[in-house]
Amino acid sequence: MNRALREFRIRGVKTNIPFLLNVLENQKFLHGVLDTYFIDEHPQLFQFRISQNRAQKLLGYLGEVLVNGPQTPLATPLKPAEISPHVPTVPLDLSPEAVEREERGEAKVTEPPKGLRQLLKSQGPEAFAKEVRSRKNLMLMDTTFRDAHQSLLATRVRSHDLLKISPYVANKFHNLYALENWGGATFDVALRFLHECPWERLEEMRKLIPNIPFQMLLRGANAVGYTNYPDNVVYKFCELAVQTGMDIFRVFDSLNYLPNLILGMEAAGKAGGVVEAAISYTGDVSDPNRTKYDLKYYTNLSDELVKAGTHVLAIKDMAGLLKPQAAKLLISAIRDKHPDVPIHIHTHDTSGAGVASMLACAEAGADVVDVAVDSMSGMTSQPSMGAIVASLQGTPSDTAFDLGSISEYSAFWEQTRTLYAPFECTTTMKSGNADVYMNEIPGGQYTNLQFQAFSLGLGDFFEDVKKSYREANLLLGDIIKVTPSSKVVGDLAQFMVQNKLTADQVLEKAEELSFPKSVVEFLQGSIGTPHGGFPEPFRSRVLKDMPRVEGRPGEKLPPLNFDKLKKDLKETHPNVNDRDVMSAALYPAVTEEYLHFREAYGPVEKLDTRIFLIGPKVGEEFEVNLQKGKTLSLKTLAMAEDLTPNGEREVFFEMNGQLRSVLIRDKEASKELHIHPKASKSNKNEVGAPMPGTVIDVRVKEGDKVEKGQPLLVLSAMKMEMVVQSPKAGVVKKLEVSNGMKLEGDDLLMLVE
């Protein structure tokens, strides 16, 4: 009966089903221990759980996409492929020994083989680092789940597709050093463009991959954001990340600014994570003429990071500048100074020399290198997993991975990649390019810069943008370039191309030009102090009498009051949890938009990728798996040609055999109609109508000061009058209604600021 009631749907009127469900779950009722006072003595029977209404919300989303187009910006006109990628089967251990183990309750036959994570969780970060260092073969970290798609597909790969292949990875790649699957741009993009929770992504992946350590990219004092945060935000973020399933934190700073780096290291270490401090690499240590970032600079940095307590030392070659000869020099020098510390190398394959460089690193004493599965490797991504594995077979550094398994893994991503055609980097970039050794553009920025150039009408001038990037870097003092410092250089480069300025002209006219905000803030010291100091006289000419930041940028920020933030969020989003609060601490406006989207459209991450991006075709049948045992069977039937008086179109679906429809306002067609604006739930200054009705008494005018709770106007409907009160104290900035107007629910009444 319980299940029957839960699956029963009556729309348009309230029912007593929630009450009956509470009764059926009450233990006294189930055991027959009750009397006529049962209801009086159990007021909790009337505490009803709010229906998630996920199915109807998803229909609303699908209708919105069909009527108004994609709800996430598409970078190119290309469409997602009509394909359902083949997911390779996960092998089961059905040997008599395995079956006996399951019968004894020790391990299920579906469990993947043990990996390094079991050692990490049982013995801690120090033992983990010692085990990595003791291994003679080269270990690999797979970046397919994070940096590969960040570099090739604008970070747009969704949890839906990552989770499909996760069980296979857990079973076939259990010997990985780690799987990089979080941090960097993935946090922001998940909320902003994919409308999904990054914390839920991490949690769900951990359930499916219990054996492989997870690694994330932490931007030091910037956490996973682009600005400085109070220290307690960074500490709280790392704590929550470990609780949700994160293991290894690759901590870097965009300028190698030690105070920012060490804060991130301390936060990750205190949370219980493995600290992998990263030195961001630029220049060329094999070129004696490049003296700013020479071998001594890097070995001195490695000394400081080891002294600060890093468990693993990383070289983050974000632009793919580490040539094979330079790799031998750098890794050998660091290995000689720190023989007991594991060394982990990260690069991008922009020039095409990535595989050669990683093999040189292995020969020089590196313990781990980053790779991406073959179909997600190359160009601005990482070197090919298959190529490195094959190259080392039969050598002392043999990785022990199976090429057949890599091929199956690659085939899945080769098909899945076609679903993300609108974000495909090969639209603008056809091959690797060794000019990266001159312009030094990071792999994660290269394709984004190309897309930006095309969107700004500078597509034909991308070669000029790359040359200007080099000039902009030198103007700024030849800095380390990785998010967010790389954005500073990129913004200045595009500014120069748009305004047809040479480097000499920029320096000459610095006092009168209006520079991009990121450039000004960098020169003020907002992201730290670059190696060698700020460029003069350029800095003084740009800033003039503007304030400068002394010391670590976030050091003087007051601690964030998480309790107050949670209380404020709960006013408009009653169901927020601690993860949502943490997201809001990092990205306030983005998280606010995400929460409104989730409440309006439900779990859109459950939709197949093509349908999520561009919607289903009329007549198309498809399924949506909401959870285990709950699947929606949907079919798009039709979309009305005629608009309602309110500018809405009715979209018809068949859901589990029943006809359902949603009304969607056609934003383009509505421009030709006079339609009263709606109050935005994300804008607390907008006061909306609490019900449909007629305005019979407006009690304020524009410019009036009002107190919280003060009557603003009176609505009348069906002989019932309602006084609309001010939700806050402020000033009436704009009045959108007058006496006699007929309104719909949520129509905008006024702005109170």
Side-chain angles (χ1 to χ4, degrees):
M1 183 182 286
N2 190 306
R3 179 177 175 181
L5 285 172
R6 289 186 185 282
E7 293 182 353
F8 209 63
R9 293 289 182 271
I10 298 176
R11 304 195 176 275
V13 294
K14 288 188 176 181
T15 73
N16 66 347
I17 289 176
F19 170 76
L20 292 175
L21 285 170
N22 285 345
V23 171
L24 288 173
E25 291 174 356
N26 185 281
Q27 291 303 309
K28 285 188 177 181
F29 177 84
L30 292 174
H31 290 90
V33 186
L34 69 163
D35 53 28
T36 54
Y37 293 98
F38 173 68
I39 292 178
D40 294 333
E41 292 172 352
H42 294 81
Q44 65 269 28
L45 295 173
F46 294 93
Q47 295 174 0
F48 306 140
R49 276 174 288 187
I50 300 172
S51 171
Q52 297 180 69
N53 203 17
R54 292 175 295 181
Q56 190 67 20
K57 288 178 179 179
L58 285 174
L59 291 184
Y61 175 79
L62 295 172
E64 192 71 48
V65 175
L66 290 169
V67 173
N68 292 311
Q71 297 302 290
T72 187
L74 305 185
T76 73
L78 297 176
K79 300 296 183 187
E82 293 184 33
I83 190 172
S84 180
H86 170 69
V87 182
T89 55
V90 176
L92 300 179
D93 184 0
L94 297 176
S95 65
E97 296 80 12
V99 174
E100 284 180 18
R101 283 195 298 270
E102 179 162 321
E103 289 173 351
R104 293 196 299 268
E106 293 176 6
K108 294 183 178 180
V109 296
T110 54
E111 282 186 17
K114 288 185 178 180
L116 268 179
R117 188 169 193 263
Q118 277 83 1
L119 182 143
L120 170 60
K121 300 311 287 183
S122 62
Q123 299 182 40
E126 289 79 10
F128 170 83
K130 190 174 181 180
E131 172 64 22
V132 171
R133 184 69 193 101
S134 71
R135 297 198 177 183
K136 302 303 179 186
N137 65 316
L138 181 69
M139 299 195 74
L140 304 179
M141 182 173 85
D142 180 16
T143 67
T144 306
F145 279 43
R146 207 280 302 176
D147 202 17
H149 74 85
Q150 181 170 321
S151 300
L152 298 178
L153 301 172
T155 330
R156 292 306 199 276
V157 173
R158 303 168 64 236
S159 300
H160 184 80
D161 296 309
L162 294 168
L163 295 175
K164 280 183 181 179
I165 194 64
S166 289
Y168 184 82
V169 171
N171 276 273
K172 291 292 191 176
F173 297 91
H174 59 279
N175 284 331
L176 285 169
Y177 163 84
L179 183 69
E180 191 198 34
N181 61 352
W182 214 57
T186 60
F187 197 95
D188 168 32
V189 170
L191 291 167
R192 190 190 303 263
F193 298 122
L194 304 182
H195 311 301
E196 60 181 59
C197 176
W199 300 98
E200 290 177 9
R201 171 184 292 193
L202 176 58
E203 182 178 52
E204 292 303 312
M205 280 196 282
R206 177 47 77 206
K207 289 176 185 175
L208 297 173
I209 310 176
N211 55 340
I212 302 173
F214 286 171
Q215 178 163 311
M216 72 162 290
L217 189 63
L218 186 78
R219 296 168 178 156
N222 303 133
V224 287
Y226 305 98
T227 186
N228 292 292
Y229 299 103
D231 292 356
N232 71 321
V233 171
V234 183
Y235 277 86
K236 182 74 174 176
F237 173 83
C238 291
E239 179 187 329
L240 196 55
V242 169
Q243 290 173 9
T244 313
M246 187 46 59
D247 300 303
I248 306 170
F249 293 77
R250 175 178 283 166
V251 186
F252 79 99
D253 178 73
S254 67
L255 297 172
N256 283 341
Y257 181 58
L258 278 172
N260 280 351
L261 241 169
I262 289 172
L263 176 82
M265 291 172 64
E266 290 174 347
K270 187 177 180 182
V274 176
V275 179
E276 183 179 297
I279 300 170
S280 296
Y281 178 83
T282 194
D284 183 359
V285 295
S286 65
D287 184 350
N289 297 316
R290 303 285 297 273
T291 57
K292 183 171 183 178
Y293 301 102
D294 57 10
L295 205 54
K296 188 176 180 182
Y297 167 77
Y298 291 109
T299 55
N300 287 346
L301 260 179
S302 69
D303 292 345
E304 293 292 337
L305 296 177
V306 171
K307 182 181 173 183
T310 189
H311 298 117
V312 180
L313 194 61
I315 302 298
K316 180 176 169 57
D317 176 26
M318 54 280 171
L321 304 180
L322 191 63
K323 301 172 184 174
Q325 183 58 29
K328 289 181 181 179
L329 290 171
L330 181 61
I331 306 310
S332 298
I334 294 175
R335 173 54 70 224
D336 289 344
K337 296 201 79 173
H338 304 289
D340 299 325
V341 180
I343 299 175
H344 185 173
I345 313 299
H346 168 84
T347 193
H348 288 256
D349 200 20
T350 312
S351 70
V355 171
S357 293
M358 293 305 95
L359 294 176
C361 287
E363 188 180 335
D367 300 280
V368 192
V369 300
D370 286 359
V371 295
V373 73
D374 303 8
S375 57
M376 291 289 285
S377 69
M379 294 198 293
T380 56
S381 178
Q382 278 65 57
S384 160
M385 177 189 286
I388 288 178
V389 167
S391 298
L392 293 174
Q393 282 181 333
T395 73
S397 298
D398 194 326
T399 64
F401 284 102
D402 176 56
L403 282 173
S405 299
I406 294 172
S407 179
E408 284 193 319
Y409 183 32
S410 181
F412 169 82
W413 281 109
E414 187 169 16
Q415 292 182 330
T416 300
R417 188 168 171 174
T418 63
L419 295 172
Y420 296 91
F423 312 103
E424 180 59 72
C425 77
T426 54
T427 307
T428 52
M429 184 181 186
K430 302 302 181 186
S431 67
N433 197 330
D435 70 359
V436 71
Y437 294 124
M438 295 183 290
N439 56 55
E440 300 183 353
I441 301 173
Q445 185 185 27
Y446 198 102
T447 46
N448 284 340
L449 208 57
Q450 249 183 329
F451 279 130
Q452 285 175 4
F454 275 80
S455 65
L456 292 170
L458 301 175
D460 295 337
F461 300 96
F462 186 60
E463 288 302 315
D464 295 333
V465 172
K466 289 194 287 187
K467 289 174 185 174
S468 292
Y469 192 97
R470 174 181 170 84
E471 293 177 357
N473 174 48
L474 295 175
L475 272 172
L476 294 168
D478 188 13
I479 62 174
I480 304 283
K481 294 167 290 297
V482 61
T483 307
S485 62
S486 55
K487 183 180 186 303
V488 177
V489 182
D491 288 352
L492 182 56
Q494 299 214 64
F495 172 79
M496 291 167 66
V497 173
Q498 279 181 301
N499 293 282
K500 297 181 173 58
L501 295 168
T502 64
D504 289 339
Q505 289 172 326
V506 171
L507 187 58
E508 183 184 331
K509 300 178 180 179
E511 293 182 24
E512 57 193 70
L513 291 171
S514 296
F515 286 95
K517 182 183 175 186
S518 62
V519 175
V520 175
E521 289 180 346
F522 162 73
L523 294 172
Q524 286 179 298
S526 293
I527 61 173
T529 305
H531 173 57
F534 291 97
E536 292 292 357
F538 183 60
R539 185 194 195 199
S540 296
R541 290 179 183 176
V542 173
L543 296 184
K544 298 181 276 291
D545 57 354
M546 292 183 197
R548 275 80 162 160
V549 177
E550 300 296 334
R552 181 164 65 82
E555 192 171 15
K556 296 175 184 176
L557 293 174
L560 180 71
N561 188 332
F562 279 96
D563 291 336
K564 182 180 183 301
L565 177 58
K566 188 171 187 177
K567 182 181 176 183
D568 292 345
L569 281 172
K570 276 189 172 292
E571 287 183 9
T572 47
H573 310 286
N575 298 318
V576 293
N577 55 38
D578 288 342
R579 296 172 179 178
D580 297 325
V581 175
M582 188 70 245
S583 298
L586 297 166
Y587 290 99
V590 172
T591 302
E592 184 74 21
E593 287 293 327
Y594 159 73
L595 292 173
H596 279 297
F597 190 98
R598 184 175 68 182
E599 288 159 6
Y601 297 121
V604 296
E605 69 275 7
K606 304 294 185 183
L607 297 168
D608 285 345
T609 294
R610 177 179 61 83
I611 288 172
F612 167 78
L613 291 174
I614 62 172
K617 296 179 178 179
V618 172
E620 182 176 359
E621 297 183 26
F622 55 98
E623 290 186 343
V624 181
N625 294 310
L626 293 179
Q627 63 189 61
K628 191 173 182 180
K630 188 155 190 175
T631 301
L632 301 177
S633 179
L634 300 174
K635 181 178 181 180
T636 314
L637 298 177
M639 181 167 62
E641 292 185 7
D642 298 331
L643 292 176
T644 68
N646 289 327
E648 296 172 322
R649 290 192 192 279
E650 191 167 12
V651 186
F652 297 90
F653 297 93
E654 184 181 285
M655 186 173 77
N656 296 339
Q658 294 184 328
L659 180 66
R660 297 280 278 274
S661 70
V662 288
L663 287 168
I664 305 295
R665 176 163 291 179
D666 189 322
K667 294 174 183 176
E668 194 62 37
S670 295
K671 292 177 182 177
E672 301 173 12
L673 305 172
H674 175 69
I675 297 179
H676 197 90
K678 295 286 185 183
S680 170
K681 292 181 179 179
S682 60
N683 188 343
K684 295 182 180 179
N685 295 332
E686 295 186 357
V687 182
M691 67 175 189
T694 304
V695 180
I696 61 171
D697 185 10
V698 180
R699 298 185 178 179
V700 293
K701 60 182 182 299
E702 290 182 5
D704 283 0
K705 288 185 178 180
V706 294
E707 298 298 324
K708 185 176 181 179
Q710 179 178 331
L712 301 175
L713 55 81
V714 180
L715 283 175
S716 173
M718 299 294 290
K719 298 183 180 179
M720 180 182 76
E721 293 184 359
M722 176 177 283
V723 178
V724 179
Q725 298 177 329
S726 178
K728 59 187 283 189
V731 176
V732 179
K733 287 292 184 181
K734 190 175 182 183
L735 201 59
E736 296 281 355
V737 295
S738 58
N739 285 337
M741 284 185 67
K742 294 185 183 296
L743 302 173
E744 299 287 328
D746 294 326
D747 276 359
L748 181 61
L749 302 177
M750 63 189 71
L751 268 70
V752 178
E753 296 181 353

